[in-house]
Amino acid sequence: MSSERDMTGSEQGKGSANQMWGGRFADGPSAIMREINASIPFDKALWRQDIDASKAHAAMLGAAGIIAADDCRAIIGGLDQIAAEYETQGVPENWDLEDIHMTTEARLAEWIGPAAGRLHTARSRNDQVATDFRLWVRDAIDELDRGLAELQRALVSRASEHAHSIMPGFTHLQTAQPVTLGHHLMAYYEMVRRDRGRLGDARARLNESPLGSAALAGTGFPIDRAMTAQALGFDRPTANSLDAVSDRDFALEYLFACSTCALHLSRLAEELILWASQPFGFIRLPDSLSTGSSIMPQKKNPDAAELVRGHSGRVIGSLTSLMITMKGLPLAYSKDMQDDKPPVFEAAGLMALSVAAMTGMIAGSAFNTDRMRAAAELGYATATDLADWLVREAGIPFREAHHITGAAVKLAEHKGVALDALELADLQKIDARIDERVYAALSVDASVTARASYGGTAPAQVMSQVARARRELGMHELGMHELGVNE
């Protein structure tokens, strides 16, 4: 989005070899320069924001008496006509016009004539693109936030359904302690809640208007930047024109929030992939988000989950790309910054797909709770409960209780039975202080029920957290049927 000149209608260099660059350049651009310089193939995505910002700018110029009222009305009317064209026919790609800004200005001149040249008074493409890009990222944040809220609703609804469903909890992918499936799903609710918080923080910081900063130093025209900021939904104008045209922190923060969210989605996708495999057998993914094999008819592949996992790498790559682009740029605008948009656009598209796919998988999957419970019972997941019982009921120091429990697990492994299937006599041979009361602590049901501390896996705690989440999401009456899932 190149030129750093504040161009008015009289500055467009009529009759020069390249009207956009003005009279300084006698020759047009080479074919290589034309191709490397043009951004219209990707920045045409900004057309709605460009139209809105141009209308706000024109209205301000008219209100300030900088352009005539008739010209102001003609410009705004022409922009509305162009918006209708773009909506139905798409944005034309004329590489000689470089970008969406000059494409729109050239079309405006075809609609209303010379008055179109007055639109660019008191602004530069530098503050124009900075404004348009902020508006686009703000819209992208709002869209992603809505998608993440739907994912949260799916997680909360399934957690409510499975507050009592027992599964193994893992550390190091080894069975650790029994937990409830509802508790497990609510862990991802919390991750997404933080993701939405990061997006909200990024949105609050980006919501300042660069419009009126011009090329880099502001403008000598008596503009009203507060008026354009308000018209575009910004909280205030930016305070420093140099910073305003060269800042891309808002894009980096958006990409960082996307990257963190993509990591969370990838972790959940990995678990679904594992759970859907035959050795686990915890879940049956919806057919609509799975594929088959070209040669093995028995296969049902978790392709959507795998692609969500894969997309996280591309989103993180988008963040890295823009960080490296920005790391060595002096103030103010440099043409390198034209490459700021492709990684942001790519990440936004990938995130929208990933969130939608993950929402569909959570809402539409069938959980094999019997298999989950059996896995929890087979993995000596209640060993910690035995140690806790020894501490609580027999007054044994935890380290000694840990040693006694290890001996009990070894014996159970040798006999090929669960801990609660060991004979009392066998347990008392390990330590005489164990009595029959211990069996009340060794079932997986007793284990999860006992963990009733705030934030724990006990069904009562899960339902308490579900109730809180429902209030946060405004879904007091939302049931599974509203997500297209049979209760």
Side-chain angles (χ1 to χ4, degrees), residues 4 21 28 57 102 137 152 232 255 319 335 351 355 441:
E4 295 182 351
W21 293 349
H57 185 67
M102 294 309 300
V137 171
Q152 284 183 305
L232 294 170
L255 289 176
L319 170 62
K335 191 71 175 195
M351 290 303 297
V355 171

Side-chain angles (χ1 to χ4, degrees), residues 60-61 63-66 121-122 219-225:
M60 181 275 296
L61 293 176
I66 297 171
T121 305
T219 178
F221 290 96
I223 62 173
D224 185 348
R225 294 190 62 206

